Every structure is written in C-alpha cells, then in structure tokens.
Amino acid sequence: MAQYVDLHAHYLPALDDGATDRRMSLQMVRAIASLGFSDLYATPHQRAGMFMPARTAIDAAFQTISEDVAAAGVGARLGLGAENFWDDVLHKRLGERSVPAYGGGVAFLFEVNPQLMPPGLENELFQLRLAGYLPVMAHPERYVAVQRDFTLAERLGRHAVMMVDLGALDGAHGKPEMKTARRLVLERLAPAAASDIHRPEDQTSVAAGMAWIRKQLGPAALDEMLAENPRRMLAGELPEVPLSR
C-alpha cells in the first residue's frame, strides 16, 4: 500500500472555501485516503479580509473531524497546517514565530496573488531559510510571473519548495496552469505535489494528476513527490532541485 502525504487540503468544515459540513469533510478524507494517502494535512486559508478563521475554531473543527474519521475507521492520520496568504498578517506571525506551520514545525505553506508576485520575494524567502523556516509555495503554476518566466521558479526553488496541485496536471484549473504545472514537474522544479482538495469530486482530477506523473516519470517519481519529499519537508528539509541550466 502507498503511504502518500498530502500537504494541501481544505477538508475542515465551514472555515473557508472548502468543505461546508462534517459530512462533506469525511467524504473528502475518504476520497483522498482511497488514492493511497496515509497522512492528510488540513490547510485552511489564512488571508486577511477574506478567510481568517480563529485558531480556536480551527482546532475545534480539526478535533471534530479527527473523531469522525476515527469513528468511521478511515485508515489515515490527520495533521494540521494552514494556507497562509503572503500579507502583513503572515509577516507579523513570522516575526513572532507564531505562523501556523505543519504540525507546529518549521515548514509552512504560503500563497501569493496570482497576478502580482511580491517584490523582493526571492530575498525574503532566503532570509526565512536563514531564520530556520521552510517555506512551501502553494500551486506555483497559477502565478502569471512563473508562467512567463521559468527561471523565477528555479530561483525561488532554491529557498522554498514549489508544490504543484495534482489536479492542475490534468487541466482542472485551466490550460496555462496545466502547461506550467507539467513543465515544473518534468523539469523537476516542483519536487512535491498535493491534492488541494476542496470538494469530494476533486478526487477525479487528483487521481488523473497522479496517473500523469506515473506515466511520464514512473512510479518511483510519484513516490518521491508524494511520500519521500513531503516527509523531508515536514522534517524541515528542502528537497533538491536541478542547478541552473
């Protein structure tokens, strides 16, 4: 049996644009677990002015779903993180060392505005690495700057993990995103992938993305992207990416 690790999912109910209730949450966990994932990390949005659920609400939802999953006999371990938007709230938390990271460790997931890459991002990521953090960039294939300039993904990947959405590899988020995600994977600039599941039916595109990696690069590469490297990331290790071409 596969022992994959999913580091991006929105199955906590009624907190953001993911699951709407406990029933849907359990359906989503079952859907991803059925694909061979043994460790599933909930990453509710943390974005000022849009989705900013309180930590108490996140912890309560996580406890409830953990109990539901255990009662249902689903063979999966649940973990907690957050999808942090690159804004003043995140920077304040980073300074206070209170950023919601995976399992309370040093690796944390972040996203940026798809249309506008933050100025100086490469240097800021470098400084975060010096401070002991491991930044993980969510769905880099969505960012226009990356779509236009792959050397940017290469430079950012020296200090942060590029983690593509599996569904994007199958075209679930659009053609530009699909082309970019596939190239990031084929050129080994994205050493990890995740479900970013929001609805139970997302399982179809997630499975198709997994199949694409397996077909293009082989089962060993799939294991590396979904099991070996995510576990390295949870331990605070930045997976290797190719040097400048």
Side-chain angles (χ1 to χ4, degrees), residues 154-183:
E154 184 178 357
R155 296 195 307 273
L156 296 177
R158 297 170 187 163
H159 315 301
V161 183
M162 303 289 102
M163 188 166 71
V164 301
D165 282 358
L166 286 162
L169 295 168
D170 188 52
H173 305 139
K175 189 172 182 179
E177 290 78 6
M178 180 183 71
K179 291 175 63 177
T180 304
R182 288 184 173 188
R183 185 175 173 188

Side-chain angles (χ1 to χ4, degrees), residues 141-160:
E141 69 276 1
R142 295 187 190 180
Y143 307 131
V144 172
V146 173
Q147 294 172 6
R148 292 175 176 171
D149 180 11
F150 264 70
T151 64
L152 175 60
E154 184 178 357
R155 296 195 307 273
L156 296 177
R158 297 170 187 163
H159 315 301

Side-chain angles (χ1 to χ4, degrees), residues 14 42 74 81 90 95 104-105 137 163 172 189 195-196 218:
V74 180
L90 173 59
M137 177 175 264
M163 188 166 71
L189 295 176
S195 76
D196 194 9

Side-chain angles (χ1 to χ4, degrees), residues 22-42:
R22 290 169 60 177
R23 179 174 175 272
M24 182 183 289
S25 296
L26 184 57
Q27 289 176 331
M28 290 164 63
V29 171
R30 286 185 185 274
I32 296 302
S34 71
L35 297 177
F37 287 87
S38 60
D39 297 79
L40 285 66
Y41 281 78

Side-chain angles (χ1 to χ4, degrees), residues 40-58:
L40 285 66
Y41 281 78
T43 53
H45 284 289
Q46 290 283 284
R47 180 173 180 176
M50 186 171 290
F51 300 113
M52 190 59 73
R55 185 59 197 241
T56 53
I58 293 172

